[in-house]
Amino acid sequence: VDAKQITIVGTGLLGASLGLALKARGFDGRIVGLGRRLVTVERAKATGAVDVATDQPDRCVPQSDLVVLALPLSGFATVFQQIAPHDHDQLIISDVGSTKLEPVTTARKYLPQPNRFCGAHPMAGKERSGPEAADAELFVGKPCIVTPETDTADGAVQMVESLWRTVGMSVLRMPAQEHDRCTALTSHLPHAAAVLLVQVAAQHGGWNVASTGFTSTTRLASSNPPMRTDIMLANRRPLIEAIDAFSHSLTALRKALDHADEAAIRRILETSKTARDNWLNDPNR
Amino acid sequence: VDAKQITIVGTGLLGASLGLALKARGFDGRIVGLGRRLVTVERAKATGAVDVATDQPDRCVPQSDLVVLALPLSGFATVFQQIAPHDHDQLIISDVGSTKLEPVTTARKYLPQPNRFCGAHPMAGKERSGPEAADAELFVGKPCIVTPETDTADGAVQMVESLWRTVGMSVLRMPAQEHDRCTALTSHLPHAAAVLLVQVAAQHGGWNVASTGFTSTTRLASSNPPMRTDIMLANRRPLIEAIDAFSHSLTALRKALDHADEAAIRRILETSKTARDNWLNDPNR
């Protein structure tokens, strides 16, 4: 990636992993960690993820070629407002948020030249959080969705795609709205289902016979609640549509069970298994 | 386990794994594989899971101390009817079915002395099926639920518990009805959710951004459709109740999203994460 200084705002799991991954792949520029709480950025510095730790945007944004927001979505408005006074024509701004329409909308509201903002969603993570959980190999072989708008500067798109390719990701480009609709269906809805399956067990029992199937189906329920609340709120309209589609399917299955309709149940299970197995076996996946 | 001859009816994944596991743990009696299709039982014999392969109940039931049904639930009525003419006072009959009320109800209908039937549910499995997928270590360290009725013979309960302890399982006793209510909540409902999450993606898209979270949440959707159809039908009343509890929670979450009620969403996610993490960390689990 062609940059002399990269500032990572927020040095939790993703931000610190990005720093470690860049260094592991020979990035020879400077990596600055910028955070609201200096203590967290210092923790990231201690792991070697960033060269400099600061809580002062004026000390790093003017000298940076790229600023990457790697903090919860609810903090984006504040950070854009802090960056704005130090923005310059060579600066490219990006993020790692799990929803993509809200970041670009917020960027348009607060940045003087929002066409130098290009959002990205590196699809990598783990259940543990914080800079100590950071991993230079976190991104390798995983997809990164880059979501330029029609007026986004070419240089911004190229810089952002180059960043994530450098740390080993395969880059996929799509409109922010399409990204959000798709992640609602295959990421936020599964998360919601996992959470509610646990809630049902907590309220009605069954833990004593819960087995590996329950563990894997509910894995997402152990992910970070404040971060996940942000994501659900930022993407609530597409998520509500996904919930409605799911409810519709659930009602159909309930009806088939109520009527002991063996053929209908079997058809649902077979269609679903085939779709999942085809996806898993897709060589282009 | 104190038996000279054990007959395993149905030598798919579970039946063949039971045979292999008994042999691996030094069981020195005879293991007979009984099946409707001789070719499947011969495949199990080829893997060393059974000593003898037959499709004739009269050739093995009279000489057996224990008969274990390890075939789909929909075949139980037929097998009980085939066993009945060869039943004898020393014979204990059990099963490995994933629901427990239907097997004992069917046993009461067809067996001359159903108090020598004691159901069990070894909670082990994998996505692959058939005798070639069998594994002598499949049961090790996993729970087996044994579900005697109030009138079940002590000898039957002891034989069945001893069988599953021999192959490495921890045995838990509970009434069949309680077993079925609990597995509906933490096994059959998660399976239904996994299936419908895949169905929603198949109908509305999102595969292109589906990641590891989707893979683990939907893992159960790849399990065997005919077997799962049997389970859903056998346990449809408890499953419908579990679906209704889930729908109730889903409606509440949808409402919180619609109102952008951050506190309510966060409370749901936090309660669920705490419940799951406590369960995972429970030393008695």
Side-chain angles (χ1 to χ4, degrees):
Chain A
V1 55
D2 186 23
K4 288 201 178 61
Q5 179 170 306
I6 298 176
T7 291
I8 300 171
V9 191
T11 50
L13 172 71
L14 283 181
S17 294
L18 176 58
L20 287 180
L22 283 169
K23 285 168 176 290
R25 272 146 198 85
F27 173 70
D28 61 358
R30 194 147 83 136
I31 302 179
V32 180
L34 170 64
R36 196 160 45 88
R37 284 178 300 198
L38 196 56
V39 58
T40 311
V41 198
E42 292 285 4
R43 274 161 59 202
K45 194 183 165 196
T47 71
V50 302
D51 302 306
V52 180
T54 180
D55 57 0
Q56 307 291 322
D58 62 308
R59 302 272 282 272
C60 54
V61 176
Q63 298 79 25
S64 292
D65 307 294
L66 174 64
V67 171
V68 181
L69 278 66
L71 72 165
L73 292 161
S74 56
F76 277 33
T78 305
V79 171
F80 285 136
Q81 288 175 77
Q82 289 170 338
I83 291 172
H86 313 291
D87 193 23
H88 56 88
D89 285 349
Q90 272 66 51
L91 182 62
I92 287 160
I93 301 163
S94 188
D95 76 308
V96 303
S98 297
T99 72
K100 300 276 39 103
L101 205 54
E102 187 172 284
V104 73
T105 307
T106 311
R108 284 181 187 284
K109 195 164 167 190
Y110 296 111
L111 293 180
Q113 290 180 32
N115 66 323
R116 282 187 278 99
F117 173 83
C118 178
H121 177 199
M123 300 195 70
K126 36 169 134 169
E127 277 151 57
R128 291 178 55 213
S129 57
E132 289 77 14
D135 177 357
E137 304 301 312
L138 186 68
F139 306 106
V140 176
K142 297 190 185 132
C144 180
I145 319 294
V146 175
T147 57
E149 297 287 292
T150 47
D151 65 346
T152 305
D154 288 346
V157 185
Q158 280 153 24
M159 172 80 92
V160 172
E161 293 192 345
S162 164
L163 174 75
W164 295 107
R165 286 206 179 97
T166 300
V167 298
M169 304 196 89
S170 58
V171 167
L172 209 74
R173 219 184 272 191
M174 77 176 66
Q177 192 164 8
E178 176 66 2
H179 168 277
D180 287 1
R181 196 185 71 83
C182 288
T183 51
L185 289 161
T186 53
S187 171
H188 310 156
L189 177 64
H191 169 249
V195 166
L196 300 182
L197 287 170
V198 172
Q199 190 179 71
V200 165
Q203 289 171 353
H204 300 272
W207 297 104
N208 48 352
V209 304
S211 189
T212 52
F214 185 76
T215 311
S216 73
T217 314
T218 62
R219 184 170 69 83
L220 292 177
S222 283
S223 44
N224 185 272
M227 187 189 80
R228 286 291 190 169
T229 303
D230 274 12
I231 294 172
M232 281 190 166
L233 282 172
N235 209 27
R236 66 199 183 94
R237 286 299 153 206
L239 178 53
I240 285 173
E241 280 179 32
I243 286 175
D244 290 343
F246 185 87
S247 291
H248 185 78
S249 290
L250 192 61
T251 304
L253 176 63
R254 190 197 186 283
K255 191 174 159 196
L257 286 165
D258 196 32
H259 295 175
D261 186 343
E262 183 175 351
I265 295 169
R266 196 155 162 162
R267 196 164 50 239
I268 293 168
L269 302 197
E270 276 169 356
T271 309
S272 178
K273 177 179 166 58
T274 303
R276 184 175 189 272
D277 291 351
N278 286 347
W279 171 67
L280 283 176
N281 296 326
D282 182 352
N284 297 319
R285 187 166 71 90
Chain B
V1 54
D2 186 22
K4 289 201 178 62
Q5 179 169 306
I6 297 176
T7 292
I8 300 171
V9 190
T11 50
L13 172 71
L14 283 181
S17 293
L18 176 58
L20 287 179
L22 283 169
K23 284 168 178 290
R25 271 144 198 87
F27 173 71
D28 61 358
R30 194 148 84 138
I31 302 179
V32 179
L34 169 64
R36 197 160 46 88
R37 283 179 301 198
L38 195 56
V39 59
T40 311
V41 199
E42 291 285 4
R43 275 161 57 202
K45 193 184 165 195
T47 71
V50 302
D51 302 306
V52 180
T54 181
D55 57 0
Q56 307 290 321
D58 62 309
R59 303 270 284 272
C60 53
V61 175
Q63 298 78 26
S64 292
D65 307 294
L66 174 64
V67 170
V68 181
L69 277 67
L71 73 163
L73 291 161
S74 55
F76 278 34
T78 306
V79 171
F80 285 135
Q81 288 175 77
Q82 289 170 338
I83 291 173
H86 313 290
D87 192 25
H88 57 87
D89 285 351
Q90 270 67 50
L91 181 63
I92 287 160
I93 302 164
S94 187
D95 76 308
V96 303
S98 297
T99 72
K100 302 278 33 107
L101 205 54
E102 186 171 283
V104 71
T105 307
T106 311
R108 284 180 187 284
K109 196 163 166 191
Y110 295 111
L111 294 179
Q113 290 181 33
N115 66 323
R116 280 186 280 99
F117 173 84
C118 177
H121 177 199
M123 300 195 69
K126 38 169 135 168
E127 277 152 56
R128 291 178 54 215
S129 56
E132 289 78 14
D135 177 357
E137 303 302 311
L138 186 68
F139 306 106
V140 176
K142 298 188 185 134
C144 179
I145 319 295
V146 175
T147 55
E149 298 286 293
T150 47
D151 65 345
T152 305
D154 287 347
V157 185
Q158 280 154 25
M159 171 80 92
V160 171
E161 293 192 346
S162 164
L163 174 76
W164 295 108
R165 286 207 178 97
T166 300
V167 298
M169 304 196 91
S170 58
V171 168
L172 208 73
R173 221 184 269 191
M174 80 177 62
Q177 192 164 7
E178 177 66 2
H179 168 279
D180 287 1
R181 197 186 70 82
C182 288
T183 50
L185 288 161
T186 53
S187 172
H188 311 156
L189 176 65
H191 168 251
V195 166
L196 299 182
L197 287 170
V198 172
Q199 190 179 72
V200 166
Q203 289 172 354
H204 300 271
W207 297 103
N208 47 352
V209 303
S211 189
T212 52
F214 185 77
T215 311
S216 72
T217 315
T218 62
R219 183 170 69 83
L220 292 177
S222 284
S223 45
N224 185 273
M227 187 190 80
R228 286 291 190 170
T229 303
D230 274 13
I231 294 172
M232 282 190 164
L233 282 172
N235 209 27
R236 67 199 183 94
R237 286 297 154 207
L239 178 53
I240 285 173
E241 280 178 32
I243 286 175
D244 289 344
F246 185 87
S247 291
H248 185 76
S249 291
L250 191 61
T251 303
L253 176 64
R254 189 197 186 286
K255 192 176 158 194
L257 287 164
D258 197 32
H259 296 176
D261 185 344
E262 183 175 352
I265 295 169
R266 195 155 163 165
R267 197 165 51 239
I268 293 168
L269 303 198
E270 275 168 358
T271 309
S272 177
K273 177 177 166 60
T274 304
R276 184 174 188 272
D277 291 350
N278 286 347
W279 171 68
L280 283 177
N281 297 325
D282 183 352
N284 298 319
R285 188 165 72 91

